Amino acid sequence: MSVCQPVQIVTAHSVTDGAGVHLHRAIGTPHLEDLDPFLLLDEFRNDDPAQYIAGFPDHPHRGIETVTYMLAGAMRHGDNQGNAGRLGPGDVQWMTAGRGIVHSEMPEQEKGLLWGFQLWVNLAADRKMSAPRYQEIKAADIPVVTRGDVIVKVIAGALDGVSGAIHGIDVDPTYFDVALPDGAAFVHELPAGHAAFAYVFEGATETGGGDGASRVGRGHLAVLGSGDQVRLRAKGGAARVLVVAGRPLREPIVRYGPFVMNTREQIVQAIDDFRAGRFT
Ligand code: FE
């Protein structure tokens, strides 16, 4: 069993997106453009409404999946396919944009903490123009695995024989929220050949094993190198970490804002289709 050692540690950088929402972006910046099959990871964590209130009014997506996981506060979403709903603390929305949707993601609060994540997962070339699909999972329906004092929410993937709440995603993703008391370890065997990262959002961890281990603090993402096994240990206090993995697609990536395709021509087509109102 070989341990996946951190090969790069990325600081989530402050960016503004949507209509003026302040975020910290760990994937999808010049420091880490993508981590195939993952295209973007944002953490939004703000208790100043001025930093989030404008939200993400109507905007399109094509060629990707967007995964929203809320920790605190609430977001209301709605789209041009007639879907609408509210994401509260602990809820997950896994949206497969496929050939195109137009949606809005707006804070449903005027004060208090808004905290969560958005991950973008690429779609394989032959799935980019598939029909849009939603999976919305309430916090209470997300399986929880406890190993002693370590508590893992299994959003996608499998842990100790427990299957995650999200099903039928092409890259066969793992998405765990791992809570570790000080000094506790989490070890998990990944599906063979999957690309993986660990994003620390509370406390700090020692990530990896032996001489190859590194300290990874809050707001930092460890890109995990090849190996079979993720290893984390909370250091200096309790820690909470997103452990995410998926099967790399190894296909060309051409991105233009919310559209991610394989060729420039497909991007031009996406812009054309959106402008002509063909995202229906
Ligand atoms: Fe969106």
Side-chain angles (χ1 to χ4, degrees), residues 194-266:
H194 278 207
F197 67 83
Y199 180 77
V200 178
F201 62 97
E202 280 185 350
T205 63
E206 183 181 80
T207 302
D211 291 345
S214 292
R215 184 187 181 281
V216 181
R218 200 192 108 57
H220 291 78
L221 178 147
V223 178
L224 300 177
S226 59
D228 309 307
Q229 204 178 64
V230 175
R231 260 176 202 265
L232 307 165
R233 183 181 297 279
K235 291 287 255 191
R240 225 166 136 191
V241 186
L242 295 184
V243 173
V244 177
R247 182 173 50 79
L249 297 171
R250 305 188 203 288
E251 291 175 344
I253 296 169
V254 182
R255 58 202 288 170
Y256 180 77
F259 308 135
V260 187
M261 303 300 288
N262 302 110
T263 68
R264 222 189 90 73
E265 291 68 31
Q266 291 168 342

Side-chain angles (χ1 to χ4, degrees), residues 56 59-61 66 95 101 103 105 118 120:
F56 301 86
H59 61 278
H61 292 286
T66 67
M95 183 191 81
I101 60 107
H103 75 159
E105 304 160 281
Q118 189 165 90
W120 289 10

Side-chain angles (χ1 to χ4, degrees), residues 26-44:
I27 303 176
T29 79
H31 306 277
L32 181 61
E33 288 187 353
D34 62 83
L35 179 50
D36 185 16
F38 306 108
L39 299 164
L40 176 144
L41 178 70
D42 284 341
E43 179 179 6
F44 46 94

Side-chain angles (χ1 to χ4, degrees), residues 44-56:
F44 46 94
R45 180 185 190 173
N46 237 306
D47 56 12
D48 174 4
Q51 311 261 297
Y52 63 69
I53 202 75
F56 301 86

